Amino acid sequence: MAVEPDPYQADPPAASLFARVAQARSRAARRRQAALVELGLDEAARLSDQIRLAVGTRLRGLVEAVARDLKHQASRLAADAGHDQADPWPATASDIVARLRTAGLLHDPTLVDELVAQAQQRLIADALPSEAMGGDVPSLLVRLTEAPDRIVATAARAVLATEGHAQAPAGHAEDYAILSHRAQERLIWMVAAAMRADHHPAADRALAQAAERMLDARDEGTCFGAPALRLATAIDARPSELPVLLLECLSDRQIGLFIALLAHALRLDDRDLREIVLEPDGDRLWLALRALDLNRATIARIGWALSEADRRRDVERFADGLDAVMAIAATDAAEALALLKLPRAFRTAIDRLDGTLPR
């Protein structure tokens, strides 16, 4: 019987590491494309029922929230301009959702990428095994809110506040505020287009002005992951502090802060780190942890915790490959991840040229 080669060869050459990272990026792109397809199908193929339900529910809630805010702003603007036409935007939230679905706009790549990642992050965070790091000691985040460093304490309180917003019902206005600016822009203009009734230039102008007002009011600091990244930057963990902080994050089910700490330590975009942490195969994550020269015990505990929380992960494969992971030099691991330090637009162009993304 043929035996598959060990994916973690001892002392792998740099070329092998580059190839593995390229394969991981390609798999991540295929997962994103599959997510787009599956959300338009009645039967799930790869996305779990939980993810499909969470993303579908969230999309409907986002559309309803944006439509409500657009109508409120547009009505005021129309009244100020002296247009008193009775309800020029009669479409209900269900009508708007149906129009967007028929046009295929509910499967917009920018929105779906973001919503799937957010749903996966929340589900994994909820499923992480919780183990007390110090008996009755308060959680890491609570302790950070009481830190003597006022910058750290303020940032920690902001993370706690955003957790409350994340648990709010999907139709609340705060819900779309945590989308990236690009995703908010796509969503707001799509909903505005779906709200139009017949050709009424004055009503259209009011709707367009309402959308522009909402876009102008966006706050980058409320985007998903931004508060955690600010906290990680404020902490600015030393190499000796990072292992304990990472393990406490997982123990407290603070996977957002775990991602932010890694992103800050590696000087990488937190969106890239989120994708790396959430992908089930883990190849790029183990390289990222080795690039920080984390020890065996820390990597083992991280791998075990994530495997317990995400049933897509193969914990036995991880355990069998741990020795080979530890044989990778930190400098080689960092070199293998160097592509992630390039500008996102450049990397997207490279992926399209390589055929990883559609042209």
Side-chain angles (χ1 to χ4, degrees), residues 136-158 160 231:
D136 296 328
V137 175
S139 70
L140 171 64
L141 200 53
V142 171
R143 297 201 312 275
L144 289 174
T145 63
E146 301 169 354
D149 186 327
R150 292 180 61 186
I151 297 176
V152 171
T154 300
R157 286 193 289 270
L160 278 177
L231 177 54

Side-chain angles (χ1 to χ4, degrees), residues 61-62 64-66 68-69 164-165 167-177:
L62 290 171
E64 291 171 5
V66 170
R68 182 176 60 247
D69 285 1
H165 289 163
Q167 301 304 319
H172 281 215
E174 296 89 352
D175 202 47
Y176 66 83

Side-chain angles (χ1 to χ4, degrees), residues 59-68 93 96-97 100 106 187 191:
L59 267 172
R60 287 190 295 274
L62 290 171
V63 169
E64 291 171 5
V66 170
R68 182 176 60 247
I96 294 168
V97 170
L100 292 174
L106 284 185
L187 178 66
V191 174

Side-chain angles (χ1 to χ4, degrees), residues 274-295:
R274 180 174 66 183
E275 181 176 85
I276 287 172
V277 169
L278 297 181
E279 60 191 10
D281 39 70
D283 282 351
R284 293 193 292 177
L285 177 57
W286 314 140
L287 285 172
L289 298 180
R290 282 302 297 140
L292 294 171
D293 206 16
L294 298 187
N295 61 38

Side-chain angles (χ1 to χ4, degrees), residues 12-65:
S16 174
L17 290 177
F18 291 148
R20 280 169 42 200
V21 170
Q23 290 167 2
R25 289 172 55 238
S26 179
R27 287 192 296 268
R30 288 198 301 271
R31 276 192 293 269
R32 291 195 300 271
Q33 291 163 16
L36 293 174
V37 172
E38 289 168 32
L39 285 172
L41 301 177
D42 292 330
E43 297 181 4
R46 295 183 183 87
L47 286 180
S48 71
D49 290 340
Q50 278 183 303
I51 295 294
R52 286 172 58 82
L53 177 62
V55 172
T57 301
R58 181 92 189 283
L59 267 172
R60 287 190 295 274
L62 290 171
V63 169
E64 291 171 5

Side-chain angles (χ1 to χ4, degrees), residues 10-224:
D11 254 342
S16 174
L17 290 177
F18 291 148
R20 280 169 42 200
V21 170
Q23 290 167 2
R25 289 172 55 238
S26 179
R27 287 192 296 268
R30 288 198 301 271
R31 276 192 293 269
R32 291 195 300 271
Q33 291 163 16
L36 293 174
V37 172
E38 289 168 32
L39 285 172
L41 301 177
D42 292 330
E43 297 181 4
R46 295 183 183 87
L47 286 180
S48 71
D49 290 340
Q50 278 183 303
I51 295 294
R52 286 172 58 82
L53 177 62
V55 172
T57 301
R58 181 92 189 283
L59 267 172
R60 287 190 295 274
L62 290 171
V63 169
E64 291 171 5
V66 170
R68 182 176 60 247
D69 285 1
L70 275 171
K71 188 167 186 176
H72 173 73
Q73 294 289 338
S75 297
R76 291 184 60 190
L77 290 165
D80 291 345
H83 301 290
D84 55 358
Q85 179 184 345
D87 195 7
W89 309 286
T92 65
S94 296
D95 294 334
I96 294 168
V97 170
R99 288 177 185 175
L100 292 174
R101 189 183 302 281
T102 299
L105 295 180
L106 284 185
H107 309 141
D108 176 77
T110 299
L111 272 176
V112 171
D113 277 358
E114 202 163 319
L115 295 182
V116 168
Q118 290 183 16
Q120 286 176 332
Q121 180 173 323
R122 285 172 175 147
L123 288 173
I124 291 174
D126 289 343
L128 279 167
S130 181
E131 49 176 322
M133 300 292 291
D136 296 328
V137 175
S139 70
L140 171 64
L141 200 53
V142 171
R143 297 201 312 275
L144 289 174
T145 63
E146 301 169 354
D149 186 327
R150 292 180 61 186
I151 297 176
V152 171
T154 300
R157 286 193 289 270
V159 173
L160 278 177
T162 58
E163 286 187 346
H165 289 163
Q167 301 304 319
H172 281 215
E174 296 89 352
D175 202 47
Y176 66 83
I178 67 173
L179 294 173
S180 68
H181 277 198
R182 185 179 175 214
Q184 286 186 55
E185 183 172 8
R186 300 290 285 270
L187 178 66
I188 287 171
W189 285 120
M190 286 192 305
V191 174
M195 287 176 64
R196 294 182 69 241
D198 297 323
H199 180 63
H200 294 299
D204 286 350
R205 282 195 299 273
L207 202 54
Q209 290 170 359
E212 289 171 343
R213 280 171 60 89
M214 290 169 61
L215 292 172
D216 289 342
R218 290 175 300 177
D219 180 3
E220 189 75 51
T222 63
C223 294
F224 191 81

